[in-house]
Every structure is written in structure tokens, then in C-alpha cells.
Amino acid sequence: MALKFCKECSRKYSDTLEACPHCGYKDNAKVTIYGYTESFALNPNAKIYIGGKKVASVARNSKVEINISEPCELKISCNWRSTRCNVKPGESLLLSFNRVTGGLSVTLTSKDTLVTDINEKKGKDSVRIIWIIIFCIILFAISRYLS
């Protein structure tokens, strides 16, 4: 067990604790970024930059955690689309695409809401795939019948 200094009140406390017992400050020096959930023909990874330097990338329906010690600006790009956002340690972000404009956007989110959204979208993707397979089988049967 080691001791660390609280960034808020400057007192020492155990590194096994999640928050400072003196002032309650949580030392969450990470930003969690959840990849987009939309389905495309190609699903590229989104690249994350801090100060022009690539620090991580995140794939569709996955997550990445980035260590940051203070608020900073992230640039997130996915092919020709990009966006910028200011983040603080401990925040969670969700990437998404606008189906009409094709723009990339970032939304501040809670983990509970996010897990529900991802599970719902995965279920919709499964149903879409089943309908596509049924449609292909019907088309194949019709083409065999007509020839």
C-alpha cells in the first residue's frame, strides 16, 4: 500500500481508496471514449489526438481509456470526418455519426445509459441482418423460379 497526495486538499491518503477520505476528491485521471454504434459497410476506427499527437484509436462498439491529468482538447477523426471537444478527467464520451450529414459528433454520457444504448443497437443490428438474409433467400428463390 502506497500513499498519494490529493490534488484538491494536498493531504496524503492510501492509493487503494477511490476517493480522498478528507475532501472526497476522486482522482479519475482517465477519459473513457466509447466507439460509435452505427453500422456501415466499412467500419473504420476513430483516431484520437491530443495536441496533434495520436494517443489512441477506438473501433465500432468498443471503448478506450486515455490517461489525462488535467482538462484538455481532444481531436477525434474518422476518415475525412473530424470533431474537437474539451474533456476533463473522469468523463465518458460517446462517438456517433449523423446519418443525414455524415458528421462525427461526441456526446458526454454516463456509463449506465451507454450500456443500455449499445445493447439496444446491437439487437437492432441482429434483426437487420436476419431480414437481409431472408430477403436474399427470397430473391434467390424467385430468380430460380423465373429461369
Side-chain angles (χ1 to χ4, degrees), residues 34-55:
Y34 294 89
Y36 59 93
T37 57
E38 295 85 7
S39 181
F40 299 102
L42 299 173
N43 294 307
N45 291 347
K47 296 169 192 70
I48 300 139
Y49 300 87
I50 297 177
K53 180 182 175 189
K54 182 181 172 187
V55 293

Side-chain angles (χ1 to χ4, degrees), residues 25-119:
Y25 176 76
K26 289 186 178 182
D27 187 21
N28 295 333
K30 293 181 182 176
V31 171
T32 305
I33 301 172
Y34 294 89
Y36 59 93
T37 57
E38 295 85 7
S39 181
F40 299 102
L42 299 173
N43 294 307
N45 291 347
K47 296 169 192 70
I48 300 139
Y49 300 87
I50 297 177
K53 180 182 175 189
K54 182 181 172 187
V55 293
S57 65
V58 63
R60 176 180 175 259
N61 285 333
S62 64
K63 75 175 184 176
V64 66
E65 291 181 340
I66 300 172
N67 293 322
I68 63 170
S69 57
E70 57 189 35
C72 65
E73 181 183 66
L74 296 180
K75 177 185 176 191
I76 302 166
S77 67
C78 193
N79 292 340
W80 54 272
R81 303 168 189 99
S82 68
T83 188
R84 294 179 183 270
C85 66
N86 294 316
V87 294
K88 294 182 275 187
E91 291 184 332
S92 296
L93 306 172
L94 172 63
L95 301 180
S96 62
F97 286 102
N98 183 317
R99 289 277 191 183
V100 177
T101 65
L104 178 64
S105 64
V106 178
T107 307
L108 187 64
T109 184
S110 71
K111 291 181 182 178
D112 296 337
T113 304
L114 186 65
V115 169
T116 304
D117 289 347
I118 288 175
N119 288 336

